[in-house]
Amino acid sequence: MTKIPFYQVDAFASKPFEGNQACIMPLEEFLPDETLQAIAAENNVAETAYIVPTGEGVWNLRWFTPAVEVPLCGHATLASAHVLFNELGFEGEAIHFDTVKSGRLVVRKLSSGALEMDFPSAPIKEIPVTDEVARALGARPVQAWGGMFYAARFETPEEVKALTPDLKALKDLGAPGEGWDRGNFGCFAAGGAEVDVTSRFFAPGSGIDEDPATGSWHTMLARVMSERFEQNDLKCFQAYPGRGAFIDTRLEGDRVKLIGTSVTVIEGQFTL
């Protein structure tokens, strides 16, 4: 029998039952891919992250939803750093994560206790809103962009909060262009209660109907808001029913800083 340390963390949260759930599992080396995917399906939260030490302050990092391995995940990166800093006693100034498709990601602890992640922010392109997308979302966005995901802008936060998309139809849609993920839609509007932007993220293409807190989406949202509203520093709210998450972003060239806090809610062992 193999026992693997297991931490379930609410990421981008100040207390339990906020933000997004991630399971963090420290390993000495990566298990076979099919085993990693099976464990993530068993955990059945938005993301399971596996971390393997490779040097002083350096870990390899991979992320799996219950259905697929993903190229970038913000909330599970934040949760991984939270576990290393707060549960496993890492005392360095910064944690360096090496990833397969997103390069090196650096996470630093701020004096406030929050963690600041340094992520890439890919280029975006404004695209037309098609009738097919409007029908699947159940409302017509006023603007749309393609990039890492499909970004749909609405006029008011209330419209975003009221969305009830056809997830089956949405799964097969996306922005035109090679390399842009299908079935992953960020919907947003400027404004909200004491925030600069309110959004939701629907991800049936990644095996998740709706994600409660999505760091990778905010790397795109930061660029869209900068180009559309000339705002490089944002206070963001992701409005998932019953949870919700606050994420601060700062766009710096082709990188974006994502800032948030996390809490550990479960600690134990996963037995194989």
Side-chain angles (χ1 to χ4, degrees), residues 60-109:
N60 284 338
L61 171 63
R62 295 173 69 183
W63 313 274
F64 288 76
T65 76
V68 297
E69 183 173 8
V70 295
L72 181 65
C73 177
H75 87 275
T77 302
L78 186 73
S80 297
H82 166 83
V83 166
L84 289 168
F85 276 122
N86 296 285
E87 306 295 345
L88 299 180
F90 179 71
E91 296 181 348
E93 293 184 1
I95 291 169
H96 298 80
F97 290 119
D98 288 329
T99 70
V100 176
K101 293 188 177 180
S102 296
R104 175 162 285 193
L105 307 176
V106 180
V107 186
R108 291 182 169 83
K109 181 178 282 190

XYZ file of all heavy atoms in Angstrom, residues 60-109:
391
model
N 8.646 20.677 -9.471
C 7.842 20.457 -10.668
C 6.380 20.403 -10.259
O 6.042 19.886 -9.191
C 8.237 19.149 -11.358
C 9.550 19.263 -12.122
O 9.972 20.347 -12.496
N 10.199 18.132 -12.356
N 5.519 20.931 -11.121
C 4.101 21.070 -10.799
C 3.262 20.661 -12.001
O 3.518 21.090 -13.130
C 3.797 22.525 -10.422
C 2.341 22.957 -10.255
C 1.669 22.209 -9.113
C 2.261 24.464 -10.030
N 2.256 19.823 -11.740
C 1.277 19.452 -12.770
C -0.122 19.547 -12.181
O -0.316 19.312 -10.979
C 1.541 18.027 -13.290
C 2.862 17.900 -14.015
C 3.174 16.462 -14.372
N 2.294 15.935 -15.399
C 2.337 14.672 -15.848
N 3.210 13.815 -15.317
N 1.510 14.274 -16.798
N -1.109 19.862 -13.055
C -2.489 20.058 -12.609
C -3.436 19.160 -13.407
O -3.358 19.095 -14.640
C -2.946 21.492 -12.843
C -2.030 22.592 -12.429
C -1.926 23.162 -11.185
C -1.120 23.322 -13.263
N -1.009 24.194 -11.194
C -0.498 24.313 -12.449
C -0.758 23.242 -14.603
C 0.447 25.206 -12.945
C 0.191 24.127 -15.104
C 0.776 25.094 -14.277
N -4.383 18.539 -12.716
C -5.383 17.690 -13.370
C -6.767 18.053 -12.862
O -7.001 18.142 -11.656
C -5.133 16.211 -13.048
C -3.931 15.623 -13.736
C -2.642 15.912 -13.287
C -4.078 14.771 -14.825
C -1.527 15.361 -13.909
C -2.972 14.217 -15.451
C -1.686 14.508 -14.988
N -7.717 18.252 -13.781
C -9.131 18.263 -13.415
C -9.576 16.806 -13.290
O -8.801 15.884 -13.564
C -9.985 18.959 -14.490
O -10.154 18.078 -15.612
C -9.362 20.269 -14.954
N -10.824 16.541 -12.907
C -11.287 15.144 -12.906
C -11.263 14.493 -14.287
O -11.347 13.269 -14.393
C -12.716 15.262 -12.372
C -12.687 16.486 -11.503
C -11.784 17.443 -12.226
N -11.128 15.317 -15.363
C -11.210 14.770 -16.721
C -9.913 14.870 -17.522
O -9.631 13.993 -18.341
C -12.328 15.471 -17.492
N -9.106 15.936 -17.318
C -7.945 16.181 -18.188
C -6.815 16.849 -17.408
O -7.040 17.481 -16.364
C -8.315 17.089 -19.386
C -9.345 16.429 -20.293
C -8.820 18.455 -18.914
N -5.589 16.736 -17.946
C -4.480 17.556 -17.471
C -4.566 18.911 -18.164
O -4.851 18.983 -19.363
C -3.138 16.897 -17.776
C -1.948 17.690 -17.233
C -0.608 16.987 -17.374
O -0.564 15.923 -18.040
O 0.385 17.492 -16.825
N -4.326 19.994 -17.429
C -4.442 21.337 -17.997
C -3.077 22.019 -18.048
O -2.177 21.701 -17.268
C -5.445 22.199 -17.197
C -6.848 21.619 -17.311
C -5.038 22.313 -15.739
N -2.884 22.975 -18.988
C -1.585 23.617 -19.150
C -1.288 24.706 -18.128
O -0.133 25.083 -17.947
C -1.654 24.205 -20.557
C -3.107 24.432 -20.812
C -3.825 23.327 -20.085
N -2.315 25.227 -17.460
C -2.113 26.295 -16.483
C -3.293 26.314 -15.533
O -4.446 26.223 -15.964
C -1.985 27.658 -17.183
C -1.743 28.870 -16.282
C -0.383 28.776 -15.588
C -1.828 30.166 -17.076
N -3.008 26.449 -14.246
C -4.076 26.562 -13.244
C -3.607 27.490 -12.135
O -2.615 27.195 -11.457
C -4.442 25.195 -12.681
S -5.696 25.311 -11.374
N -4.316 28.585 -11.938
C -3.922 29.556 -10.928
C -4.263 29.148 -9.516
O -3.417 29.204 -8.619
N -5.510 28.710 -9.293
C -5.918 28.481 -7.905
C -5.167 27.300 -7.297
O -4.819 27.323 -6.108
C -7.437 28.302 -7.803
C -7.943 26.920 -7.998
N -8.200 26.384 -9.242
C -8.247 25.944 -7.105
C -8.641 25.148 -9.105
N -8.684 24.851 -7.818
N -4.854 26.267 -8.093
C -4.116 25.129 -7.548
C -2.628 25.443 -7.380
O -1.954 24.818 -6.552
C -4.309 23.901 -8.430
N -2.109 26.405 -8.153
C -0.739 26.890 -7.912
C -0.690 27.658 -6.601
O 0.225 27.466 -5.781
C -0.271 27.787 -9.070
O -0.338 27.055 -10.293
C 1.157 28.269 -8.851
N -1.669 28.522 -6.395
C -1.757 29.263 -5.135
C -1.873 28.295 -3.962
O -1.190 28.451 -2.937
C -2.961 30.200 -5.169
C -3.116 31.150 -3.970
C -2.081 32.262 -4.025
C -4.524 31.747 -3.938
N -2.717 27.272 -4.111
C -2.903 26.293 -3.044
C -1.632 25.486 -2.788
O -1.301 25.176 -1.644
C -4.058 25.360 -3.403
N -0.892 25.154 -3.852
C 0.370 24.422 -3.694
C 1.374 25.240 -2.904
O 2.048 24.728 -1.990
C 0.942 24.063 -5.068
O 0.082 23.200 -5.779
N 1.502 26.528 -3.248
C 2.425 27.398 -2.512
C 1.966 27.570 -1.070
O 2.788 27.594 -0.143
C 2.526 28.749 -3.215
N 0.664 27.691 -0.865
C 0.118 27.794 0.500
C 0.527 26.580 1.335
O 0.946 26.731 2.494
C -1.408 27.900 0.425
C -2.102 27.684 1.729
N -2.269 28.671 2.676
C -2.664 26.552 2.260
C -2.903 28.178 3.726
N -3.151 26.896 3.500
N 0.417 25.382 0.759
C 0.785 24.166 1.491
C 2.272 24.170 1.813
O 2.686 23.847 2.939
C 0.388 22.917 0.676
C 1.054 21.658 1.244
C -1.118 22.756 0.669
N 3.105 24.549 0.860
C 4.553 24.551 1.105
C 4.937 25.580 2.168
O 5.736 25.281 3.065
C 5.301 24.826 -0.200
C 5.271 23.678 -1.216
C 5.764 24.144 -2.573
C 6.107 22.508 -0.721
N 4.380 26.768 2.091
C 4.700 27.818 3.065
C 4.106 27.515 4.442
O 4.776 27.699 5.472
C 4.165 29.169 2.595
C 5.064 29.912 1.635
C 4.609 30.282 0.377
C 6.359 30.267 1.996
C 5.411 30.991 -0.505
C 7.174 30.972 1.124
C 6.699 31.328 -0.129
N 2.871 27.049 4.473
C 2.136 27.006 5.741
C 1.994 25.623 6.368
O 1.772 25.524 7.576
C 0.734 27.609 5.536
C 0.781 29.076 5.167
O 1.029 29.924 6.013
N 0.563 29.368 3.891
N 2.111 24.566 5.573
C 1.941 23.221 6.112
C 3.255 22.430 6.127
O 3.459 21.592 7.005
C 0.896 22.447 5.295
C -0.452 23.142 5.141
C -1.204 23.328 6.445
O -0.839 22.677 7.456
O -2.165 24.132 6.469
N 4.137 22.704 5.180
C 5.358 21.918 5.049
C 6.609 22.687 5.457
O 7.730 22.196 5.297
C 5.483 21.386 3.613
C 4.334 20.460 3.179
C 4.533 19.988 1.750
C 4.212 19.259 4.120
N 6.437 23.912 5.970
C 7.524 24.631 6.616
C 8.558 25.255 5.709
O 9.672 25.556 6.157
N 8.237 25.516 4.427
C 9.210 26.190 3.561
C 9.432 27.618 4.054
O 8.482 28.368 4.258
C 8.726 26.202 2.111
C 9.672 26.901 1.177
C 10.884 26.330 0.846
C 9.357 28.156 0.656
C 11.763 26.968 -0.006
C 10.217 28.807 -0.197
C 11.432 28.207 -0.525
N 10.690 28.014 4.224
C 11.008 29.321 4.808
C 11.707 30.264 3.841
O 12.122 31.349 4.228
C 11.880 29.124 6.052
C 11.161 28.372 7.177
C 12.022 28.203 8.409
O 13.251 28.453 8.321
O 11.481 27.805 9.461
N 11.846 29.882 2.604
C 12.479 30.754 1.623
C 11.604 31.941 1.245
O 10.432 32.028 1.634
N 12.178 32.864 0.458
C 11.440 34.053 0.046
C 10.474 33.767 -1.094
O 9.454 34.441 -1.227
C 12.418 35.152 -0.384
C 13.261 35.711 0.757
C 14.143 36.848 0.298
O 14.078 37.201 -0.901
O 14.889 37.391 1.130
N 10.812 32.795 -1.941
C 9.982 32.523 -3.116
C 10.000 31.039 -3.439
O 11.005 30.346 -3.230
C 10.472 33.324 -4.319
N 8.891 30.567 -3.961
C 8.765 29.198 -4.452
C 8.766 29.247 -5.972
O 8.081 30.077 -6.584
C 7.466 28.559 -3.936
C 7.562 28.318 -2.419
C 7.161 27.262 -4.671
C 6.251 27.944 -1.782
N 9.554 28.354 -6.583
C 9.641 28.282 -8.039
C 9.020 26.968 -8.495
O 9.461 25.890 -8.090
C 11.097 28.368 -8.498
C 11.766 29.657 -8.122
N 12.257 29.887 -6.849
C 12.002 30.783 -8.833
C 12.783 31.102 -6.805
N 12.639 31.664 -7.989
N 7.988 27.078 -9.337
C 7.335 25.900 -9.902
C 7.695 25.797 -11.377
O 7.460 26.737 -12.151
C 5.815 26.002 -9.775
C 5.287 25.889 -8.370
C 4.571 26.937 -7.800
C 5.481 24.735 -7.621
C 4.050 26.828 -6.528
C 4.980 24.617 -6.333
C 4.268 25.667 -5.784
N 8.236 24.664 -11.784
C 8.495 24.397 -13.200
C 7.354 23.566 -13.745
O 6.985 22.522 -13.172
C 9.826 23.664 -13.378
C 11.016 24.581 -13.122
O 10.893 25.802 -13.399
O 12.052 24.096 -12.658
N 6.762 24.028 -14.861
C 5.582 23.386 -15.429
C 5.859 22.953 -16.864
O 6.788 23.428 -17.512
C 4.377 24.339 -15.399
O 4.583 25.403 -16.340
C 4.181 24.923 -14.009
N 5.021 22.062 -17.374
C 5.245 21.497 -18.698
C 4.992 22.512 -19.800
O 5.775 22.637 -20.747
C 4.342 20.255 -18.903
C 4.487 19.704 -20.316
C 4.678 19.173 -17.882
N 3.894 23.283 -19.703
C 3.496 24.162 -20.805
C 3.490 25.642 -20.459
O 3.314 26.477 -21.343
C 2.107 23.761 -21.316
C 2.103 22.394 -21.994
C 0.762 22.120 -22.644
C 0.786 20.790 -23.395
N -0.517 20.488 -24.053
N 3.673 25.986 -19.194
C 3.611 27.404 -18.804
C 4.926 27.910 -18.239
O 4.971 29.003 -17.668
C 2.477 27.618 -17.789
O 1.232 27.330 -18.385
N 6.005 27.141 -18.387
C 7.314 27.592 -17.945
C 7.414 27.651 -16.431
O 6.722 26.936 -15.706
N 8.286 28.540 -15.965
C 8.488 28.685 -14.526
C 7.513 29.710 -13.960
O 7.398 30.829 -14.475
C 9.921 29.097 -14.211
C 10.160 29.377 -12.746
C 11.615 29.370 -12.357
N 12.154 28.016 -12.295
C 13.327 27.705 -11.749
N 14.093 28.639 -11.235
N 13.750 26.455 -11.721
N 6.855 29.341 -12.880
C 5.927 30.212 -12.168
C 6.504 30.470 -10.777
O 6.898 29.528 -10.089
C 4.551 29.568 -12.051
C 3.929 29.071 -13.360
C 2.604 28.361 -13.092
C 3.734 30.203 -14.350
N 6.552 31.738 -10.380
C 7.155 32.113 -9.106
C 6.071 32.644 -8.169
O 5.222 33.445 -8.576
C 8.250 33.185 -9.307
C 8.878 33.564 -7.966
C 9.317 32.681 -10.277
N 6.106 32.185 -6.931
C 5.131 32.616 -5.922
C 5.893 33.166 -4.721
O 6.780 32.488 -4.183
C 4.218 31.462 -5.469
C 3.131 31.984 -4.529
C 3.593 30.756 -6.669
N 5.549 34.388 -4.315
C 6.195 35.042 -3.173
C 5.164 35.354 -2.095
O 4.011 35.685 -2.401
C 6.885 36.338 -3.614
C 8.089 36.114 -4.496
C 8.769 37.431 -4.872
N 10.063 37.200 -5.500
C 10.226 36.921 -6.784
N 9.165 36.861 -7.582
N 11.434 36.709 -7.283
N 5.608 35.264 -0.848
C 4.739 35.650 0.270
C 4.934 37.135 0.549
O 6.056 37.610 0.741
C 5.058 34.835 1.519
C 4.156 35.175 2.709
C 4.463 34.318 3.925
C 3.886 32.941 3.796
N 3.986 32.176 5.074
